[in-house]
């Protein structure tokens, strides 16, 4: 059985013929809260994608009106006397399971058609591109609940939009809509809610049609906060571009341009 045909709980999975994999958080009655079952399914799906050379881009969305309401709050506060080390280990496992999407060498696109709260926002930030509904509600209300922020938000918000925005959203816990998310640099485009997934899929298909090696190397070049300095960027690009100049895909791309047709890249 292939990874995309395997049974998943609280997660819908499909792999399209054009090299796009689609992962849909599927617990709409709880606004796609990250249940234990969903977390386990997510971990297995990401591992399947890692081992599938035919997948060239991933789209992440949510079933129903929400993207994700974040982690399962039902257990928080249930064990006030639990050892801190046990709680720390549980959170560490949870973070690493969901943020495993950042280990993928292929581009990832978040289709945020509705609320992305707490860990749900963190998951969207873990993707390379974010398309959001104009009226989607995004927030990281950890401190309003008496918690320190989690799932890398103290790093990802600052890396994505700068320290001023991170301080604003994390210290106040306020909500923003999709239009403000674009203005603050947290999202790429704000769209009518009915267009978000379609635009995300169209973008993913365009990415998947590009040369795989060049795309993976470009994602690696932009990982984290980008290159450490000017010289590091020069040295990386001289090497990475040389790798692609020696590829069959470069010859195919040049031939397609000359012949005014779409290229057929193979990853070689």
């Amino acid at each position: 059985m292939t990874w995309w045909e395997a049974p998943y709980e609280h997660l819908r999975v499909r792999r399209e013929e054009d090299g796009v994999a689609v992962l849909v958080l599927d617990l709409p009655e709880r606004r796609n809260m990250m249940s234990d079952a969903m977390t386990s399914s997510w971990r297995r799906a990401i591992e399947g994608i890692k081992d599938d050379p035919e997948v060239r881009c991933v789209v992440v969305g949510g079933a129903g009106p929400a993207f994700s309401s974040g982690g399962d709050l039902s257990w928080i506060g249930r064990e006030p006397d639990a050892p801190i080390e046990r709680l720390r280990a549980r959170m560490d496992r949870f973070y690493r399971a969901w943020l495993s999407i950042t280990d993928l060498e292929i581009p990832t696109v978040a289709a945020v058609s509705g609320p992305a709260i707490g860990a749900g926002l963190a998951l969207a930030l873990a993707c390379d591109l974010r398309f959001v509904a104009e009226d989607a509600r995004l927030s990281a209300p950890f401190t309003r609940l008496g918690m320190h922020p989690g799932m890398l938000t103290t790093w990802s918000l600052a890396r994505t939009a700068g320290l001023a925005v991170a301080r604003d959203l994390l210290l106040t816990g306020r909500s923003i809509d999709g239009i403000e998310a674009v203005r603050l640099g947290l999202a790429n485009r704000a769209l009518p809610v009915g267009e978000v997934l379609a635009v995300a899929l169209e973008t993913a298909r365009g990415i998947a049609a590009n040369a795989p090696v060049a795309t993976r190397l470009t994602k690696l070049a932009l990982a984290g906060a980008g290159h450490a300095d000017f010289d590091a960027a020069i040295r990386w690009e001289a090497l990475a571009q040389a790798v692609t100049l020696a590829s069959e895909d470069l010859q195919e791309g040049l031939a397609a341009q000359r012949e005014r047709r779409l290229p057929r890249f193979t990853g070689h």
Side-chain angles (χ1 to χ4, degrees), residues 114-227:
I117 311 299
L121 175 59
L123 177 60
L125 290 171
C127 295
D128 297 304
L129 299 174
R130 286 165 292 283
F131 299 102
V132 299
E134 294 168 337
D135 60 353
R137 186 164 59 93
L138 289 74
S139 69
F142 297 99
T143 55
R144 289 190 175 189
L145 295 173
M147 289 190 293
H148 186 282
M151 212 162 109
L152 213 64
T153 48
T154 55
W155 182 82
S156 59
L157 275 169
R159 177 184 68 90
T160 303
L163 277 172
V165 173
R167 288 172 177 140
D168 175 8
L169 298 183
L170 292 174
L171 293 175
T172 68
R174 72 183 183 91
S175 295
I176 60 174
D177 61 20
I179 294 173
E180 186 174 5
V182 172
R183 181 176 64 79
L184 293 176
L186 292 177
N188 298 91
R189 290 177 64 184
L191 302 153
V193 63
E195 298 179 15
V196 174
L197 181 58
V199 171
L201 286 169
E202 180 184 11
T203 301
R205 289 169 185 142
I207 292 171
N210 291 335
V213 174
T215 299
R216 289 174 183 243
L217 289 173
T218 300
K219 171 165 177 167
L220 183 58
L222 298 172
H227 300 292

Side-chain angles (χ1 to χ4, degrees), residues 5-143:
E5 294 173 323
Y8 292 94
E9 190 174 1
H10 298 169
L11 184 71
R12 297 205 309 263
V13 173
R14 73 176 189 267
R15 194 192 76 165
E16 302 188 348
E17 293 297 323
D18 51 17
V20 175
V22 182
L23 305 180
V24 178
L25 311 184
D26 191 23
L27 192 57
E29 64 272 21
R30 300 194 66 180
R31 298 193 305 161
N32 301 321
M33 173 202 74
M34 295 165 166
S35 66
D36 288 344
M38 186 189 292
T39 301
S40 177
S41 294
W42 177 267
R43 186 185 297 108
R44 289 191 294 114
I46 295 297
E47 287 301 318
I49 291 170
K50 283 182 183 178
D51 294 335
D52 189 341
E54 299 302 317
V55 178
R56 298 183 180 182
C57 194
V58 178
V59 173
V60 180
F67 179 72
S68 175
S69 60
D72 183 357
L73 296 181
S74 65
W75 69 270
I76 292 178
R78 185 188 300 164
E79 301 178 279
D81 298 324
I84 289 176
E85 177 55 28
R86 192 172 83 196
L87 296 172
R88 183 207 65 79
R90 177 170 182 166
M91 299 317 300
D92 188 83
R93 288 193 302 271
F94 178 80
Y95 300 161
R96 292 182 188 279
W98 284 98
L99 296 174
S100 61
I101 192 171
T102 63
D103 296 332
L104 296 178
E105 295 181 351
I106 55 177
T108 54
V109 182
V112 183
S113 297
I117 311 299
L121 175 59
L123 177 60
L125 290 171
C127 295
D128 297 304
L129 299 174
R130 286 165 292 283
F131 299 102
V132 299
E134 294 168 337
D135 60 353
R137 186 164 59 93
L138 289 74
S139 69
F142 297 99
T143 55

